[in-house]
Amino acid sequence: GRCFSWEEALGCMTRVFDCTEEGRAFARDGRTASSRITHTLDLACAAFATARVAAGVPGQPAALARARMDRLAGNWANALDDATGLCVASGTYYEGTLWNYSFRPLPDMEGRIKRFAGCKQAQAGRPSLACAGSSSGDDSCDDLDKLGANEAAFLQHLDKFFGFSACGRYDARHTAPATQLPVVQYSESGQAEQWVEDVAASGMALHTFEGLCNEPDMETPFSYLYIGRADRLARVLHAIKSYSFAPGRGGVPGNIDSGAEASWYVWASVGLFPASGLPIYYIGVPSFRRVQLRLGSTGSRLCIETSGSGMYVLSGSLNEQPLHGRSWLYVAEAEAGGLLKLKLCTKPGSDWGSIYPPSWPSGGSCWADDVRRYGVD
């Protein structure tokens, strides 16, 4: 193979924060300019990843780089409004609104969800809507008792973004959520373009427009896993796969961006989804009975098999060992190969998703401690 130096790679990664105007502003001021406030989130995630690389490089310079990057990784909080828990309203947002950027999974999702402490719903102790749905499938409010005030507020806002109403049903103001808009054939020139503009405008006005917009909200559905709502994730994935993609021209919901949106569909159909910059895969709902993946430098194979029917996951096991509600895998677990079995069902209600994906606070321990908990080398 090719010669590779982690020391040189680390040097290139840290130079982003020293040799670019935006990187220097981020390091100096803790955030980027309002016109590019979303880059604060990007650079914070980059700093976290750089710190993880530095943790594996020996020597004092790498230790200093890790300490600095861990500190900068916490700057994601500077892109948020403490009063709302969402991204700041003063920012400029490309291909979407602040809602499209407010729910992307971050390394420290536990800390991210706590930032909803200042919003009115969290201060009241429960969401202001009648209820935010139930994993038991009866649209009751029982599950809110299992959530803290911050988690309940996060759930309410995330539900609003995806078009769920107070009780987990889709909003009655439109016959289908924004993710379920069909692909429509138009014969007259210009009709399709006008339809797309109208749909985008109305969707963003409702703050329920999940368009997989140029990547910032591609991972957003998986934020439901950080509050134990794998049932919500399943419904959103089903809607996007069923209605936002189609064969032929116009078969992607937006900017394919060199294959990024198409890759979203492939990963979502396989049933695993990589978390950007993190050593985990989220487990979704496979579209196939059996898929075999070749992963890692060793070429090991991971087979994903489903049984039963329905859009929800009832239970799962990896190499015959129950996952006990853990709806995610470490990359090392997947790359070791084996068999991932998922049992599907037509109604939610199991403990699937009850074990949240890990969060890594800025400056906290390396993920190696978490990996060891699951016996992964």
Side-chain angles (χ1 to χ4, degrees), residues 254-272:
N255 178 9
I256 195 170
D257 209 351
S258 300
E261 284 197 335
S263 70
W264 186 98
Y265 183 83
V266 172
W267 281 109
S269 298
V270 165
L272 286 180

Side-chain angles (χ1 to χ4, degrees), residues 15 39 47 53 59 65 114 122 160 164-165 175 199 219 235 238 240 336 340 363:
R15 277 196 287 274
H39 290 190
V53 171
K114 287 179 180 178
K160 178 177 174 62
F164 290 102
S165 70
T175 58
V199 166
E219 296 176 326
R235 293 177 69 178
H238 176 77
I240 297 175
L340 174 63

Side-chain angles (χ1 to χ4, degrees), residues 89-366:
S90 60
T92 300
Y93 299 94
Y94 178 67
E95 292 188 0
T97 70
L98 62 89
W99 285 75
N100 292 85
Y101 291 81
S102 290
F103 304 103
R104 59 183 287 184
L106 299 172
D108 182 15
M109 279 302 286
E110 183 177 349
R112 167 68 187 96
I113 293 170
K114 287 179 180 178
R115 292 303 295 254
F116 275 86
C119 75
K120 294 179 180 179
Q121 290 83 358
Q123 290 178 341
R126 285 290 181 266
S128 59
L129 297 176
C131 76
S134 169
S135 64
S136 61
D138 60 4
D139 289 330
S140 69
C141 297
D142 296 341
D143 277 7
L144 284 180
D145 293 334
K146 303 175 184 178
L147 298 177
N150 300 335
E151 289 182 325
F154 183 80
L155 173 60
Q156 180 207 0
H157 286 78
L158 193 56
D159 275 353
K160 178 177 174 62
F161 175 66
F162 283 112
F164 290 102
S165 70
C167 288
R169 303 181 182 91
Y170 286 129
D171 199 310
R173 287 176 293 179
H174 34 80
T175 58
T179 52
Q180 291 191 353
L181 293 168
V183 176
V184 180
Q185 299 286 337
Y186 286 90
S187 57
E188 297 183 17
S189 176
Q191 267 191 319
E193 289 79 3
Q194 185 59 51
W195 178 80
V196 169
E197 290 181 6
D198 291 345
V199 166
S202 61
M204 286 190 282
L206 289 170
H207 305 307
T208 60
F209 182 68
E210 162 64 299
L212 305 181
C213 300
N214 197 27
E215 292 144 41
D217 54 7
M218 283 187 174
E219 296 176 326
T220 297
F222 297 92
S223 290
Y224 276 116
L225 296 182
Y226 291 91
I227 47 175
R229 296 309 302 263
D231 60 315
R232 283 284 205 275
L233 169 64
R235 293 177 69 178
V236 171
L237 291 178
H238 176 77
I240 297 175
K241 288 189 289 184
S242 299
Y243 299 101
S244 292
F245 290 87
R249 297 179 62 185
V252 293
N255 178 9
I256 195 170
D257 209 351
S258 300
E261 284 197 335
S263 70
W264 186 98
Y265 183 83
V266 172
W267 281 109
S269 298
V270 165
L272 286 180
F273 201 92
S276 297
L278 300 176
I280 60 174
Y281 287 112
Y282 303 119
I283 300 176
V285 184
S287 300
F288 308 102
R289 281 296 183 191
R290 188 176 188 274
V291 176
Q292 184 171 268
L293 305 175
R294 187 171 65 182
L295 299 170
S297 58
T298 62
S300 59
R301 284 171 167 77
L302 176 68
C303 184
I304 304 171
E305 293 184 354
T306 63
S307 61
S309 61
M311 73 169 71
Y312 303 101
V313 176
L314 178 66
S315 61
S317 65
L318 179 65
N319 296 325
E320 305 301 333
Q321 298 298 313
L323 289 172
H324 298 297
R326 180 161 65 100
S327 54
W328 51 274
L329 298 177
Y330 280 107
V331 170
E333 290 179 294
E335 291 191 347
L339 177 61
L340 174 63
K341 288 184 178 180
L342 300 174
K343 186 174 183 179
L344 306 183
C345 58
T346 57
K347 292 184 178 181
S350 71
D351 67 347
W352 183 252
S354 59
I355 298 179
Y356 300 1
S359 289
W360 291 283
S362 302
S365 63
C366 184

